Amino acid sequence: FEEHPLTVGAPPLPLFSAVPSHGRVSYCCSILQATYGDKDDELVTEQYVVSGGEEGSLRIFTLPSFQCCQEVTLKNHVSIKAIKSISAGKDQSSGIVVAGGGRLVYGIFTYSFPSSRYASPLEGVLNQAYNGSVWQKATQDHRILSISGRFIDTITKPASDCLTVVTISTYCILLCDSRGVVTIGNFKHMNYGNGEDSFHAL
């Protein structure tokens, strides 16, 4: 990598100029972080970069090696203009990634890093939960330009069958687009503890 100072006298900012984008245009990125126990019961922190761009796919790279470990796409492969990651709670081991772009399309992806000491955090970093658009008549000229949001809370309660327990994590999401419109909504991730998930989105 090369180091480039932002201003005279400022500490150098490392620039990783060898990120393997293979000529693709990247517009946005975000960082995910996971902490888990290794085989010696020592806490290990893993970090990932999620990037998106013109080709309409999210690419997940490990840090600091910048090896691509996963690639997922938005609906209709629209270009991705904005990415936001929101962790659920203080441990940062689970949460959501929201990506949006052309035709006002957005996608919501969940992540939950393994906490067992023999597990690898690379086993499916992102899981696609929802694809949608804030306006079905949008053309290619309409774009989601900025995404913000926050984690609200997590509650646990008996499921409707009274035999299992459901954990519900709620997030608030804001999508700003080229029409000058801000769309605000909630996303609920419901985990039934038996490998079954369900979602309610914007």
Side-chain angles (χ1 to χ4, degrees), residues 4-83:
H4 295 267
L6 292 177
T7 58
V8 176
L13 175 69
L15 172 64
F16 292 88
S17 56
V19 178
S21 298
H22 303 294
R24 302 179 182 183
V25 178
S26 296
Y27 294 132
C28 48
C29 64
S30 186
I31 291 180
L32 304 181
Q33 179 173 294
T35 300
Y36 62 95
D38 65 8
K39 62 181 180 180
D40 298 318
D41 288 329
E42 297 289 335
L43 290 180
V44 176
T45 297
E46 297 279 349
Q47 291 182 319
Y48 306 88
V49 169
V50 182
S51 70
E54 189 64 38
E55 78 284 354
S57 64
L58 292 176
R59 306 186 77 206
I60 298 89
F61 299 91
T62 59
L63 284 177
S65 65
F66 275 103
Q67 292 181 339
C68 183
C69 61
Q70 189 181 8
E71 185 169 352
V72 293
T73 59
L74 281 188
K75 181 180 179 182
N76 298 328
H77 292 266
V78 298
S79 62
I80 298 173
K81 302 293 187 180
I83 297 173

Side-chain angles (χ1 to χ4, degrees), residues 96 108-110 127-130 187-192 196-201:
I96 63 173
I108 303 176
F109 305 83
T110 63
N127 300 293
Q128 193 166 61
Y130 190 83
F187 172 74
K188 294 181 181 291
H189 177 201
M190 290 171 283
N191 188 314
Y192 291 88
E196 179 182 352
D197 291 350
S198 64
F199 312 96
H200 290 272

Side-chain angles (χ1 to χ4, degrees), residues 44-180:
V44 176
T45 297
E46 297 279 349
Q47 291 182 319
Y48 306 88
V49 169
V50 182
S51 70
E54 189 64 38
E55 78 284 354
S57 64
L58 292 176
R59 306 186 77 206
I60 298 89
F61 299 91
T62 59
L63 284 177
S65 65
F66 275 103
Q67 292 181 339
C68 183
C69 61
Q70 189 181 8
E71 185 169 352
V72 293
T73 59
L74 281 188
K75 181 180 179 182
N76 298 328
H77 292 266
V78 298
S79 62
I80 298 173
K81 302 293 187 180
I83 297 173
K84 175 68 175 179
S85 59
I86 309 171
S87 60
K90 296 180 180 180
D91 65 356
Q92 300 181 329
S93 64
S94 64
I96 63 173
V97 172
V98 186
R103 297 185 182 273
L104 303 184
V105 168
Y106 67 95
I108 303 176
F109 305 83
T110 63
Y111 66 89
S112 181
F113 296 111
S115 58
S116 73
R117 58 183 178 176
Y118 299 112
S120 167
L122 297 182
E123 295 174 359
V125 177
L126 294 184
N127 300 293
Q128 193 166 61
Y130 190 83
N131 262 321
S133 175
V134 298
W135 188 38
Q136 297 301 324
K137 296 182 179 180
T139 67
Q140 190 62 44
D141 292 332
H142 297 103
R143 297 173 297 277
I144 293 174
L145 300 174
S146 178
I147 300 173
S148 187
R150 59 169 294 183
F151 168 71
I152 297 177
D153 62 17
T154 295
I155 61 173
T156 301
K157 65 179 185 179
S160 58
D161 60 8
C162 297
L163 299 176
T164 57
V165 173
V166 57
T167 300
I168 305 173
S169 297
T170 304
Y171 305 83
C172 178
I173 299 172
L174 293 84
L175 306 174
C176 305
D177 65 57
S178 56
R179 302 171 299 164

